[in-house]
Amino acid sequence: MPLRIKPSPPHSDGQVAELADLFHLLGDGTRLRIVLACLHAPVSVNSIAGQLGLDNSLVSHHLRLLKAARIVRAERRGKQVFYVAADAHIRRVVTDLLAHLAEPGSGRAR
Amino acid sequence: MPLRIKPSPPHSDGQVAELADLFHLLGDGTRLRIVLACLHAPVSVNSIAGQLGLDNSLVSHHLRLLKAARIVRAERRGKQVFYVAADAHIRRVVTDLLAHLAEPGSGRAR
DNA sequence: TTAACAATTGAACAACTGTTCAATTGTATA
DNA sequence: TATACAATTGAACAGTTGTTCAATTGTTAA
């Protein structure tokens, strides 16, 4: 029996669609910066907007999409609403890819 | 000296923009399926189109973008042009994320 | 209640983008 | 050369989407 090399595993349409949705949401620069801003600790909408120099409204719009996709989680404290990355899974995805980009000679392939 | 917890590392604008670009290109379902089709071995444009049920022209358009971003690499053999994932880096990014999605209870956060 | 602060929402606009179709370029064979 | 096959290219269209602005909801303090 010959050695089988990388049978190129089949992927369900659902999995691919889910992955594409995740990529699509993180594929906007503004939205990605928002995710990075609340990746490790809860941050208020105002704080994110101030930190990134964006309009309050714009940040809220993006956070609504990120929340709907379960990428971030909302938590209200008094007047403010704090957002944070939904779980360790999301954190790993983003930090892993940033690490990948930082790899020597990985800027964009060889 | 108190223990510093997750200083939330600063990310250069260039890194974030690069990462967003990568996400953006993989964020389209059709384009992601094309990348998956030639992830482990070189495949001709016709083969990709036939396999995915897409028009030849559409596949070529997408491959042009993927090639410009150095996500795939082109190689001509006679009449046909074969495309394959640019390097191990790209392969890891995609396969890792697919694995992440396959994790128990990871469909979208907890 | 009133006032001030924080966040959300909806409408509207411009910019972008995925797709289709037709025409063209490149390559190999008769 | 001529023919067929493979891939690329460009224009044009429709649909999507990021952003702005104004108005509204929710919360706390005076």
Side-chain angles (χ1 to χ4, degrees):
Chain A
M1 182 187 190
L3 188 59
R4 269 276 222 159
I5 307 218
K6 285 284 186 186
S8 131
H11 307 287
S12 77
D13 290 357
Q15 270 187 333
V16 176
E18 250 186 76
L19 187 54
D21 281 352
L22 178 62
F23 279 141
H24 180 245
L25 281 170
L26 298 177
D28 176 72
T30 305
R31 215 150 42 208
L32 182 57
R33 275 153 66 208
I34 291 175
V35 172
L36 288 173
C38 62
L39 196 61
H40 294 110
V43 190
S44 72
V45 177
N46 242 328
S47 178
I48 296 175
Q51 179 179 334
L52 300 179
L54 301 174
D55 193 303
N56 231 327
S57 168
L58 179 57
V59 175
S60 190
H61 275 300
H62 283 305
L63 283 171
R64 182 173 55 85
L65 298 176
L66 293 170
K67 191 173 105 182
R70 308 266 202 163
I71 292 176
V72 299
R73 188 159 28 95
E75 178 187 344
R76 183 173 271 274
R77 296 185 200 168
K79 292 186 201 175
Q80 290 152 312
V81 177
F82 287 74
Y83 285 86
V84 66
D87 55 17
H89 183 254
I90 295 294
R91 265 186 294 277
R92 263 204 66 188
V93 165
V94 177
T95 54
D96 279 5
L97 287 207
L98 276 172
H100 276 304
L101 282 188
E103 277 174 14
S106 80
R108 234 80 167 279
R110 56 151 134 269
Chain B
M1 183 188 188
L3 189 58
R4 269 277 223 158
I5 309 217
K6 287 285 186 186
S8 135
H11 308 288
S12 78
D13 289 358
Q15 271 187 332
V16 175
E18 251 186 75
L19 187 54
D21 282 352
L22 178 63
F23 279 142
H24 179 246
L25 281 171
L26 298 177
D28 175 72
T30 303
R31 215 151 42 210
L32 181 57
R33 276 154 64 210
I34 291 175
V35 172
L36 288 173
C38 61
L39 196 61
H40 295 109
V43 190
S44 74
V45 176
N46 243 329
S47 178
I48 296 176
Q51 178 179 336
L52 300 179
L54 300 174
D55 192 302
N56 231 328
S57 168
L58 179 57
V59 174
S60 190
H61 274 300
H62 283 306
L63 283 171
R64 182 174 56 87
L65 298 176
L66 293 170
K67 190 173 103 179
R70 308 263 201 166
I71 293 176
V72 299
R73 187 161 28 96
E75 178 187 343
R76 181 173 274 273
R77 297 185 200 167
K79 291 187 199 174
Q80 290 154 312
V81 178
F82 288 74
Y83 285 87
V84 66
D87 57 15
H89 184 254
I90 295 295
R91 267 187 292 279
R92 262 205 68 189
V93 164
V94 177
T95 54
D96 279 5
L97 287 206
L98 276 173
H100 275 304
L101 283 187
E103 277 174 13
S106 79
R108 236 77 165 281
R110 59 152 133 265

